[in-house]
């Protein structure tokens, strides 16, 4: 057998490009004489534009065009989203202002300096209306969102929660809130749009979904999809915000069409807070009740999240409550309130990250009511099968995560009393929480090709947003082809490659990986067939089953001296290459199973007793996520998710002025994300798990589970350290004074 | 960014002459000016780069030290004369910004740092500091980072510097040159509270250049300490900070300095807190009393009310750490 | 029999059938502007790599397709792709090319250039192109494409034109500029790159001069580079947009993330808050991420970042590495525990912090910097 590459901690195949600064991100594609575009944003949150003075802007040297709603071409599809990731965009179609920072003009000039300066000279006059952004005041107007196709319904109810609550021994009723958070990938959204003639468009775009973008843009501009090419070889982080085509992509294309030039539009950091989505604020009411021995008898989780006036996105925070514990009586609901704000979107573990904060905090609170160890409470209510879908799990090794994580962390050293542990002046607290994330699979295609020089090229549309797609696909392909990784070149990020889903929902490894594996296997099968049935050769006449592939050489299993290289097979049969394209669907066995990854976080915090400053000092997190394709990149994904959880717990919140609904914290000095000094080293335990049902490669996806539960684990540790229960994230020091 | 002309001056007299022109801004490290120019808050028509002026030396000055206005924050923080004799200054500098910014930022520029108030930094928002009479949205808007001391009905913008807080505690003197020659401005007079003219932030007159800062020897300089409290472990502005210095002999505080940062419209010397300390033994009780005295008269608002308690504790803690350290 | 194809005429269609891959037909390119270049010889290898990169950048900017018909090879440039070269040297191909050249009336008038618009109409034709300078046909093509691009971009009117008008007028105006005035050195700044091998640095992408622009020299990675810039241009935008060194990243443009960290005279600074004009030679020496590796040999920090997986998306990485280098050489790092504080000016949104620290600590322990 070929030594397997999958599972090994292979260095990233694109590492060299990234450390030398030669990985080309969208705004860096060399386009000579490209025009630079800058968006002018509205400075009110609701109302109408009554006048736009662009005269001064147009007089700036180098300005090519100023697009406004008065002269921009109509884009009929702008407000007609069709897919789940599509958004209603504001692309200069009318005089309405719907949120702070909404694009109201686009300046195109020869240099960025000219465009930026001219943009600052566009003067808008508005008829402003009162804008509302305070969610708690609108909560009475909450409404139930429509269920998205293929996604769980907004409400659920199993058992009889009221009856169960009447008999409960211990009960927690609490309201938890999470704030608006902006993804803030370090690369700002950027597009270079190039119309070639009237009906061919190329977009170099920082996107998590090249095919979704192509579909949205080709429909909106009435172009043939095959005439729109999206290229995205490197993406500087996405976390959900680059999963949709936002206004700037349309605007760049409009500007290219209008001016006849290639147009580069890279939005500013401030604009990252305006029109590229965010995690909406939530208000979550949780009731958790148990009998005396800690058996959960009732869980109720009512979620309200905010959305815009003109589009709908619901943060599905209560879904996790439906399936995480074996509780017979569970009732959940999701409601939305409309505010004068931009539309929120998917943000790393949408729903699970915010919802697990509420659920896992409530369970911690319940553990104190019961005088029971928080870990013991979770083990007591371990769900052996999915209580929501009423199906067996395709695999679930959460128990091992709990025990291995707890052992490594030293959970048993935890003194149950709050405020009972110290390190010098610091208060010390231990907290834990469960992590889970669904393991999805979407249809995906891939093409594998072995060339006459014995090297392989493997193509799949897809994207690498830092998740390691280039690397793990190379490994999967190498194993499938029976080759060494050095001889396999995997490429992605181009709509001329086979179609793949959005890089979101932790589904790329599962979906694209399965297609790549099958494409590689198909080519290998063809090669073996040629070797045994084609022209001559040392393996001719054997049955295919007798032949093995190893580092690009076919070998007889019986007599290993008999071998035939891929080059030789191709040459002998007069072929330049052998290729196979595979269209992979969801694995059939998934239907009969519930598919989730699981994990457990054990976190130590230190809290300054005077100032309430919280420092995360230790993290041990254990995950069972099926086959780990690359231990190095997977560990990075887990760590990255946990760092996001740390930000969620302690730092991140986007604030608006309640009187104007305008964002006040719109840069990286006002919107804090964790820095080096906030993040300790971490101990990541990857629990072995074999899952034959989840997909072709047995991997569950690791991009999102890392963040899930971290908010609660830290909040629980803070409670343990201080005796103060903070139910409103982030846990800034003022909440602990 | 508005277009501007750039020139680099190598002689102080030339630079001073340029300063008389309309629309001139002096450039040193650029960490404030370029930032604000890109936001459209500063719009000079001419930028005169001072970095080639010979104003970068850090040297002994009698028993004290003289720091050139163009010395970078990094150079000052790690200079042996400073790190040993004026720990509060070194600590304050190293708690500020990032290593990159400290490599760029100058002492003179740091003194002239402008507020981080979000409304000030957004030219589409009213702000009395930017546009007199336009109003102060921070008063009743989102004001978590704003000041509770030295405020007026026109402005509650926090002064962001860490360094200036330490320099005030050390009785430093700012030396400036202008058309009328040289003058020395004690740190206590250098920054001014907003009152009804929030655009006026310092005693520096148009066309003047800070040449250097002198820090005298003092009985308390060496026993000095800076504590900074912020929203993350590093690379964040102070929610509250305190520079403290004590001269203790015979078990009694002879003289004391308590200066607050992050909570006031200018580096805020808390003389009432100092009075609580002088003449008493340095105990936790007097430190708490000093903390309480330091925030007397504070005007909390919707989102920054926590700063009253936080500043109080910051003072007490800085003093406790200082005594513990000694 | 040859007759000159005139501007305004339909471009004679042709199909190259003898290509080894698939046939290439002019008609199939309809819908995009096409530049046809006829030349005795044309090369895309070795010494011409920079010119090739420039040709591709220009085609992207124009949204145009280029077909180069040389006597023994055909090159097909689509704006978004690697060039496809058909280098058969077969007699069939040579014959096909000759026939096409005859149809375009240039078989004895090479090099020749034609612009065919998206409707298939010839909009520009020039035979016997005068080649000057070291770039040969390839260099002349770069100059022509650049002039065309500039013409498209320099707004001579405030009215918005339709896309088609722009492309046509732009390309035509550009080629006329290039071959009537531009190519015959009229003092306009030449986009011609230095002779191959003269400099390791990639050629700058031309940016049209604006008002108040000043010629400055920036010493970047040990090489003096001339740029004509507006005083507003930050050091960050100068290296990214003018010097074709996009390794230095823009993450906030306000000194709040560290992605733009470069070394100026060995000290790490935020290039976004630095004016390029204030760091010109000989006042300052600038080091960017592109200046770290020596040929194929990575810098120890680069190797360590790969080995420890000190990145995910890679966008903050150049800044992290430059900052780490500055930290290790500036001399203020106390111990390994201090790395976190000393690196806090560099945000990694992917959260690779523990791995970045491990990479730096390893380099430090091995005394590689």
């Amino acid at each position: 057998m070929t030594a397997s590459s999958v599972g090994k901690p292979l260095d990233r195949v694109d590492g060299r490009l990234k450390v030398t600064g030669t990985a080309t991100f969208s705004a860096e594609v060399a386009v000579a004489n490209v025009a630079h575009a800058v968006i002018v944003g509205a400075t009110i949150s609701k109302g109408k534009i009554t006048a736009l003075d662009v005269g001064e802007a147009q007089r700036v040297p180098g300005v090519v065009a100023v697009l406004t709603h008065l002269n921009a071409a109509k884009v009929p599809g702008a407000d007609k989203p069709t897919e789940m990731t599509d958004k209603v965009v504001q692309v200069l179609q009318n005089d309405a202002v719907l949120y702070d920072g909404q694009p109201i003009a686009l300046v195109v000039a020869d240099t960025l300096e000219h465009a930026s300066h001219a943009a600052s000279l566009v003067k808008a006059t508005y008829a402003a209306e009162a804008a509302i952004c305070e969610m708690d005041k609108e909560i009475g107007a909450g409404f139930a969102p429509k269920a998205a196709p293929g996604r769980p319904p907004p409400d659920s109810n199993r058992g009889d929660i009221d009856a169960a609550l009447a008999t409960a021994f211990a009960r927690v009723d609490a309201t938890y809130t999470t704030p608006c958070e902006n993804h803030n990938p370090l690369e700002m959204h950027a597009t270079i749009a190039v119309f070639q003639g009237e009906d061919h468009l190329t977009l170099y775009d920082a996107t998590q979904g090249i095919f979704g973008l192509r579909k949205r843009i080709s429909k909106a501009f009435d172009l043939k999809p095959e005439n729109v090419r999206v290229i995205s070889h490197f993406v500087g982080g996405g976390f959900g915000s680059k999963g949709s085509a936002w206004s700037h992509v349309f605007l760049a294309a409009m500007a290219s069409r209008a001016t006849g030039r290639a147009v580069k539009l890279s939005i500013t950091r401030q604009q990252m807070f305006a029109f590229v989505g965010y995690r909406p604020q939530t208000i979550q009411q949780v009731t958790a009740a148990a009998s005396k021995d800690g058996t959960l008898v009732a869980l109720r989780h009512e979620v309200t999240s905010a959305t815009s006036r003109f589009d709908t996105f619901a943060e599905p925070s209560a879904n996790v409550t439906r399936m995480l514990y074996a509780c017979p009586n569970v009732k959940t609901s999701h409601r939305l309130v409309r505010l004068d704000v931009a539309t929120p979107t998917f943000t790393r573990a949408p729903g699970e990250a915010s919802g697990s904060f509420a659920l896992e905090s409530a369970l911690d609170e319940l553990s104190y009511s019961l005088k029971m160890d928080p870990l013991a409470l979770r083990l007591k209510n371990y769900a052996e099968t999915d209580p929501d879908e009423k199906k067996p799990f395709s695999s679930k090794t959460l128990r091992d995560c709990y025990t291995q994580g707890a052992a490594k962390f030293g959970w048993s050293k935890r003194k149950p009393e709050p405020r009972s542990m110290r390190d010098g002046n610091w208060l010390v607290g231990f907290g834990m929480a469960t992590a889970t994330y669904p393991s999805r699979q979407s249809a995906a295609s891939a093409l594998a090709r072995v060339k006459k020089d014995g090297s392989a090229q493997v193509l799949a549309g897809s994207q690498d947003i830092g998740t390691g797609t280039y690397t793990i696909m190379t490994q999967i392909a190498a194993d499938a082809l029976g080759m060494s990784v050095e001889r396999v070149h995997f490429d992605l990020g181009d709509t001329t490659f086979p179609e793949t889903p959005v890089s979101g929902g932790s589904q790329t490894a599962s979906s694209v990986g399965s297609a790549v594996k099958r494409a590689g296997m198909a080519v290998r099968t063809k090669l073996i067939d040629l070797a045994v049935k084609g022209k001559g050769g040392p393996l001719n006449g054997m049955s295919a089953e007798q032949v093995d592939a190893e580092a690009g050489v076919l070998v007889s299993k019986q007599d290993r001296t008999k071998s035939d290289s891929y080059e030789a097979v191709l040459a002998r049969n007069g072929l330049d290459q052998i290729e196979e394209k595979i269209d992979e669907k969801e694995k059939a066995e998934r239907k009969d199973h519930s598919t989730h990854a699981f994990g457990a976080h054990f976190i130590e915090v230190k809290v300054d007793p005077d100032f309430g400053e919280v420092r995360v000092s230790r993290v041990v997190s254990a995950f069972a996520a099926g086959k780990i394709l690359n231990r190095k990149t997977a560990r990075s994904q887990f760590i990255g998710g946990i760092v996001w959880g740390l930000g969620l717990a302690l730092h991140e919140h986007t604030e608006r002025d309640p009187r104007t609904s305008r964002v006040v914290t719109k840069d990286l000095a006002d919107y804090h994300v964790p820095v080096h000094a906030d993040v300790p080293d971490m101990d990541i335990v990857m629990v072995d798990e074999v899952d034959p049902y989840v997909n072709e490669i047995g991997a569950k996806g690791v991009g999102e589970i890392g963040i899930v539960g971290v908010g609660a684990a830290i909040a629980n540790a803070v409670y343990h350290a201080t005796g103060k229960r903070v139910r409103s994230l982030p846990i800034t020091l003022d909440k602990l004074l | 960014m508005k277009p501007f002309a750039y020139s680099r001056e190598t002689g102080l007299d030339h630079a001073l002459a340029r300063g008389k022109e309309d629309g001139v801004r002096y450039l040193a490290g650029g960490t404030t000016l370029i930032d604000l120019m890109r936001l459209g808050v500063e719009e000079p028509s001419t930028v005169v780069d001072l970095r080639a002026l010979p104003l970068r030396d850090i040297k002994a000055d009698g028993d004290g030290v003289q720091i050139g206005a163009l010395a970078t924050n990094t150079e000052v923080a790690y200079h042996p004369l400073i790190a040993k004799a004026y720990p509060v200054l070194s600590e304050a500098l190293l708690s500020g910004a990032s290593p990159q910014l400290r490599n760029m930022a100058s002492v003179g520029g740091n003194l002239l740092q402008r507020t981080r108030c979000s409304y000030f930094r957004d030219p589409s928002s009213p702000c009395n500091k930017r546009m007199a009479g336009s109003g102060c949205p921070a008063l009743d808007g989102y004001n978590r980072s704003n000041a509770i001391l030295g405020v007026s009905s026109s402005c509650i913008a926090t002064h962001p510097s860490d360094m200036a807080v330490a320099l005030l505690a050390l009785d430093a003197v700012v030396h400036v040159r202008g058309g009328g020659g040289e003058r020395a401005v004690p740190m206590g007079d250098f920054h001014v509270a907003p009152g009804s003219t929030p655009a006026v932030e310092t005693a520096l007159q148009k066309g003047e250049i800070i040449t250097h800062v002198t820090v005298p020897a003092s009985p308390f300089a060496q026993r000095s300490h800076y504590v900074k409290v912020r929203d993350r472990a590093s690379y964040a502005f102070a929610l509250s900070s305190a520079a403290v210095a004590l001269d203790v002999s015979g078990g009694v505080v002879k003289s004391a300095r308590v200066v607050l940062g992050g909570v006031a419209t200018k580096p805020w010397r808390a003389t009432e807190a100092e009075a609580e300390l002088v003449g008493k033994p340095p105990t936790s009780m007097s430190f708490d009393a000093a903390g309480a005295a330091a925030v007397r008269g504070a005007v909390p608002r919707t989102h920054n009310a926590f700063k009253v308690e936080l500043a109080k504790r910051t003072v007490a803690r800085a003093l406790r750490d200082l005594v513990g350290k000694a | 029999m040859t007759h000159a194809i005139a501007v305004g005429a339909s471009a004679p269609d042709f199909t190259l059938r003898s290509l080894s891959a698939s046939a290439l037909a002019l008609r199939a390119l309809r819908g995009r502007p096409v530049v046809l270049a006829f030349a005795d010889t044309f090369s895309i290898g070795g010494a011409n790599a920079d010119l090739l990169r420039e040709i591709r950048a220009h085609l992207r900017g124009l949204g145009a397709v280029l077909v180069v018909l040389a006597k023994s090879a055909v090159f097909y440039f689509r704006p978004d792709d690697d060039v496809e070269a058909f280098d058969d040297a077969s007699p069939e191909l040579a014959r096909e090319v000759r026939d096409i050249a005859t149809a375009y009336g240039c078989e004895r008038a090479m090099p020749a250039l034609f612009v065919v618009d998206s409707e298939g109409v010839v909009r520009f034709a020039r035979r016997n192109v005068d080649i000057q300078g070291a770039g040969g046909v390839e260099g002349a093509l770069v100059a022509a494409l650049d002039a065309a691009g500039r013409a498209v971009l320099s707004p001579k009117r405030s009215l918005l034109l339709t896309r088609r008008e722009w492309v046509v007028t732009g390309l035509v105006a550009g080629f006329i500029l290039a071959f009537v005035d531009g190519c015959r050195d009229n003092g306009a700044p030449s986009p011609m790159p230095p002779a191959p091998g003269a400099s390791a640095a990639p050629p700058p992408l031309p940016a049209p001069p604006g008002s108040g622009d000043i010629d400055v020299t920036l010493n970047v990675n040990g090489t003096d580079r001339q740029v004509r810039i507006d005083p507003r241009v930050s050091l960050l935008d100068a290296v990214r947009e003018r010097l074709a060194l996009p390794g230095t990243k823009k993450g906030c443009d306000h000194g709040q993330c560290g992605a733009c960290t470069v070394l100026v005279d060995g000290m790490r600074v935020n290039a976004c808050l630095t004016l390029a004009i204030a760091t010109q030679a000989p006042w300052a020496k600038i080091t960017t991420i592109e200046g770290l590796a020596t040929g194929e040999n990575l810098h120890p920090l680069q190797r360590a970042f790969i080995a420890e997986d000190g990145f995910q998306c890679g966008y903050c990485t150049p800044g992290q590495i430059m900052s780490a280098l500055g930290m290790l050489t500036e001399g203020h790092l106390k111990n390994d525990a201090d790395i976190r504080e000393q690196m806090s000016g560099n945000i990694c949104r992917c959260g690779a912090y523990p791995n970045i620290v491990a990479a730096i600590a390893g380099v430090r322990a091995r005394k590689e910097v």
Side-chain angles (χ1 to χ4, degrees), chain A residues 12 16 18-19 28 30 32-33 183 195-196 200 229 258 261 269 632 635-636 644 652 674 679, chain C residues 32 57 60 81 146 153 161 163 240-241 249 251 256 296 302 307 309 312 340 343 349-350 353 355:
Chain A
R12 280 176 206 256
R16 191 179 182 94
K18 286 179 174 175
V19 301
E28 299 165 0
N33 291 316
H183 312 75
F195 258 101
Q196 301 163 20
H200 287 76
R229 183 170 181 186
R261 298 188 41 176
R269 179 56 63 186
K632 187 175 277 192
R635 180 174 175 274
S636 290
W644 265 67
E652 299 184 36
V679 179
Chain C
R32 312 175 193 197
R60 276 190 209 112
D81 276 303
D146 181 46
L153 352 162
L161 297 179
R163 165 79 199 175
R240 279 175 70 79
E241 305 288 345
K249 304 303 183 199
Q256 299 166 353
E296 287 296 296
Q302 292 173 318
D309 211 30
Q312 291 175 32
R340 289 189 155 80
M343 286 296 294
R349 186 54 162 157
C350 295
Y353 294 126
N355 296 356

Side-chain angles (χ1 to χ4, degrees), chain B residues 15 22 62 77 91 93 238 293:
Chain B
D22 281 342
E91 291 166 7
L93 282 164

Side-chain angles (χ1 to χ4, degrees), chain B residues 249-266:
Chain B
S249 74
V252 173
V253 175
K254 297 290 180 200
S255 60
R257 288 292 181 276
V258 176
V259 183
L260 305 185
V263 293
T265 54
K266 60 174 195 167

Side-chain angles (χ1 to χ4, degrees), chain A residues 156-279:
Chain A
S156 77
N157 192 2
R158 78 169 174 260
D160 182 344
I161 186 155
D162 293 325
L165 284 173
T167 65
F169 168 78
R171 165 174 178 165
V172 169
D173 290 279
T175 301
Y176 302 88
T177 67
T178 61
C180 166
E181 295 178 337
N182 283 86
H183 312 75
N184 278 311
L186 209 56
E187 177 205 28
M188 276 93 77
H189 292 232
T191 304
I192 299 176
V194 192
F195 258 101
Q196 301 163 20
E198 277 295 330
D199 51 8
H200 287 76
L201 173 65
T202 302
L203 294 165
Y204 303 90
D205 188 58
T207 178
Q208 292 173 240
I210 54 175
F211 288 98
L213 189 78
R214 180 175 76 166
K215 192 167 187 179
R216 178 83 172 106
I217 294 290
S218 59
K219 271 192 179 175
F221 285 84
D222 197 20
L223 298 166
K224 289 180 190 154
E226 63 270 26
N227 285 0
V228 176
R229 183 170 181 186
V230 182
I231 296 177
S232 193
H233 290 306
F234 290 95
V235 182
F239 315 112
S241 74
K242 290 174 181 162
S244 304
W246 297 102
S247 304
H248 66 282
V249 185
F250 293 73
L251 291 170
M254 288 163 70
S256 177
R257 183 174 248 181
T259 63
R261 298 188 41 176
V263 171
K264 184 191 297 200
L265 199 173
S266 185
I267 73 173
T268 65
R269 179 56 63 186
Q270 287 81 0
Q271 288 170 340
M272 294 291 286
F273 293 82
F275 49 76
V276 293
Y278 55 91
R279 191 197 298 279

Side-chain angles (χ1 to χ4, degrees), chain A residues 266-498:
Chain A
S266 185
I267 73 173
T268 65
R269 179 56 63 186
Q270 287 81 0
Q271 288 170 340
M272 294 291 286
F273 293 82
F275 49 76
V276 293
Y278 55 91
R279 191 197 298 279
Q281 56 271 56
T282 68
I283 299 174
Q284 307 180 47
Q285 283 167 310
V286 178
T287 297
S291 57
K292 196 170 182 179
D293 67 353
T295 304
L296 282 172
V297 296
L299 284 172
R300 182 164 56 206
H301 193 166
E302 296 169 337
V303 180
T304 304
S305 65
T307 190
S308 66
R309 295 274 176 213
F310 52 87
D311 206 351
T312 297
F313 175 84
E315 173 89 357
S317 306
N319 290 358
V320 63
T321 302
R322 298 174 186 170
M323 52 66 64
L324 194 53
Y325 295 108
C327 176
N329 307 295
V330 177
K331 191 172 183 183
T332 69
S333 65
H334 294 92
R335 296 294 177 267
L336 282 173
V337 296
R338 293 205 183 276
L339 302 174
D340 297 303
V341 296
T343 309
T345 193
F346 310 91
T347 308
R348 202 167 196 172
E352 285 79 7
S354 51
S356 68
F357 164 64
L359 173 66
E360 291 292 281
S361 290
L363 248 70
D364 199 64
E365 297 199 43
L366 191 62
S367 78
Y368 285 93
S369 305
L370 291 163
K371 297 193 175 7
M372 186 171 181
D373 183 274
L375 174 56
L377 175 63
R378 284 160 175 93
L379 285 165
K380 177 86 190 167
N381 293 287
Y382 195 86
E384 299 291 355
T385 58
D386 184 334
D388 185 39
E389 293 187 36
K390 312 249 187 298
K391 290 177 188 170
F393 288 108
S394 60
S395 61
K396 179 175 179 180
T397 322
L398 175 59
R399 208 184 296 278
D400 291 7
C401 295
Y402 285 138
T403 52
Q404 291 183 33
K408 272 210 149 178
F409 182 81
W411 182 255
S412 59
K413 296 194 188 76
R414 174 179 180 270
K415 295 182 193 159
E417 275 304 295
R419 226 180 159 87
S420 61
M421 295 168 68
R422 277 190 177 253
D423 175 11
N425 191 40
W426 295 93
L427 301 167
V428 174
F430 287 3
M432 63 84 54
T434 310
T436 186
Y437 195 77
S439 305
R440 301 195 171 95
Q441 185 181 14
S442 298
S445 303
L447 181 148
R449 173 186 294 153
V450 169
K451 298 192 279 194
K452 63 181 172 187
D453 66 357
S455 70
Q457 185 184 28
V458 182
L459 303 175
S462 203
Q463 302 76 213
D464 191 333
I465 56 175
T467 41
T469 312
Y470 277 111
T471 308
I472 59 168
M473 295 306 159
T474 304
Q475 292 175 279
I476 292 169
D479 284 4
L481 287 161
M483 294 175 65
S484 65
V485 288
E486 293 77 21
R487 298 289 282 154
V488 176
H489 180 81
F490 174 78
D491 210 354
L492 54 69
D494 191 329
T495 50
T496 61
F497 299 165

